[in-house]
Amino acid sequence: MPEKIHNWINGNQHITENIEFIEKYNPSDGNVIFEFVNSNSSILDLAINSAKSSFDCWSKINPVNRGKLLDKFVSIIFANKHFLSSIISLETGKSLKNAELEVDACISLGNFYSSEGMRLYANSLTSGIDGKTSFTTRCPIGIAALIVPANTPLANIVWKLFPALICGNTVIIKSSEDAPKLAYEIARLSKESNIPDGVINVLHGKGIEIGQKLIENPLIPLISFTGSTQVGKNIAEIAGRRLARVSLELGGKNPIIICSDADFENALKWTLLSAFSNAGQRCAASSRILIEEGIYNKFIKELIVRTLSLKIGINNEDDLGPVINLKQQESILNNISKCINDGGVLLCGGDKPKLKTNGFYINPTLIELHNNNFDLLKNEIFGPVATIQKVKDIKEALSITNDSEYGLTSAIHTSNIDKAIWFAQNARTGIVNVNIGTYGSEPHMPFGGFSNSGNGTREPGVEAINFYSELKNISILVRETNI
Ligand code: NAD
């Protein structure tokens, strides 16, 4: 029997009888590995009560001491690195090596935010009134609903969880249907750190059901969502009606531009990594490759050779694993077929690899396009698929970059500093990288996008603190008569 994954409410496993369980499949072989609770409204009420009752206690612990508790939590994550990595690897089909890198990144982020407890700065202000001293402070807000996808399951959770906690909020994590166990285990481990019961709760279930109920609930003033633009728009609409504060980290259609004067080897390395690492399941994946005509033939010839030599599988020496579930695999293959029918030229991939497993694999795919009208240029695929377009020069590359509903990340490869800076100044993306890949982010750097890639908030960095705290302006007038 597959292991049953329960919710985590008020510092304990919450075992529910007579409830539907949903199957979670192993992406690398298609077998059922877990069954998780499909939470209903009464369970949601329990989670809200738990987060609400613990808010008073947690928000009154001063930020420096909250930082100490978070620091302890991070040390427990460190001690459980192998355990957590193996769950990430099992649930997502990424290699253990890559899963360990994700836990390392989580630890660095935790180190950053736990010390933010000592730096929960606001401003001291000048006043036009003589004798008035004025300053701002940061206040906790309340319950934060954290809704996450599974592509980098630990990173997605802790980018929200750590800043929410350091600011004094309590949380309900709505786990991804594709990574329920990791969310559960993170909450369970937090108990060992003496973070009070009820501060961290985890609910499993379908986004369209329990996720939707969560965002509609008037007791939740904060909603932090990472996921598709379509769901993000729905959340903004519903939360907007009740003026809940919303952070949206959404999709991307990220271009990587290869100029004729690029360092050839370096550009190839980053193009491959940006397009295909994590099987292309990154909001920042380079799904559009734009190559200047002067280097076009040489670059795509070598890019195809290197793409064909990528190793597929879940071992540490492999380059990419499966996509997360059968539905995604089918949707990606359908999108590829449609693009080919519309006139796209398949350069490599486009099908499932011949492996002795029923895992959800797709061969890394390159498709050459001769105009800008393809759906594949507009819609995020979230798989190992990249389109290739020839551009006359960097001006055409910029125009294609900015002709997108998305604006998350972009990268340019050139040895010309003027071209690099000109592109960086004019690209309408939240991240612009020069001579590296399309990716964020270090713990202290803000990640997020223009246009339909988000709603203007950023995480992580100190910028996330602005989302999870409310500013209060306090002013005091000195009464000279008292002196
Ligand atoms: P998704 O939008 O389908 O689901 C994300 C989460 O939202 C899941 O937990 C799901 O259960 C929940 N959800 C679904 N419908 C809901 C609803 N109506 N109300 C409330 N919650 C709901 O996304 P996905 O397919 O799981 O993940 C892939 C997407 O995530 C891609 O678009 C990718 O670009 C995006 N992403 C963005 C970032 C970023 O930082 N910008 C990072 C990672 C992934």
Side-chain angles (χ1 to χ4, degrees), residues 148-149 174 177 207 211-212 225-228 249-251 283 380 382:
V148 289
K174 154 66 186 75
E177 291 91 318
Q212 186 81 16
F225 171 77
T226 297
S228 60
E249 299 294 338
L250 308 176
C283 52
E380 191 189 37
F382 222 56

Side-chain angles (χ1 to χ4, degrees), residues 26-29 89-90 92-99 311-322 355 357 359 361:
N26 182 340
S28 74
D29 61 17
S89 176
L90 180 67
T92 64
K94 65 181 77 175
S95 68
L96 200 56
K97 180 182 80 182
N98 284 343
K311 289 202 209 104
I312 296 179
I314 55 168
N315 298 316
N316 284 347
E317 63 276 14
D318 294 325
D319 297 297
L320 70 156
L355 300 170
T357 156
Y361 292 92

Side-chain angles (χ1 to χ4, degrees), residues 147-152 156 159 174-178 205-213 215 225-229 231-232 234-235 249-252 282-284 328 380 382 408 447 453 459:
I147 307 176
V148 289
N151 60 326
T152 46
N156 295 341
W159 273 26
K174 154 66 186 75
S175 72
S176 163
E177 291 91 318
D178 293 303
K206 294 182 187 157
I208 192 74
E209 294 175 11
I210 199 65
Q212 186 81 16
K213 291 197 171 75
I215 60 177
F225 171 77
T226 297
S228 60
T229 295
V231 175
N234 172 58
I235 291 177
E249 299 294 338
L250 308 176
R282 298 188 308 118
C283 52
Q328 253 311 94
E380 191 189 37
F382 222 56
L408 194 54
F447 182 82
S453 290
E459 56 183 23

Side-chain angles (χ1 to χ4, degrees), residues 55-75:
F55 178 72
D56 192 45
C57 156
W58 181 244
S59 60
K60 284 186 179 145
I61 297 176
N62 77 51
V64 176
N65 287 334
R66 285 199 295 263
K68 286 180 186 160
L69 291 169
L70 184 53
D71 191 43
K72 177 88 172 56
F73 183 17
V74 175
S75 69

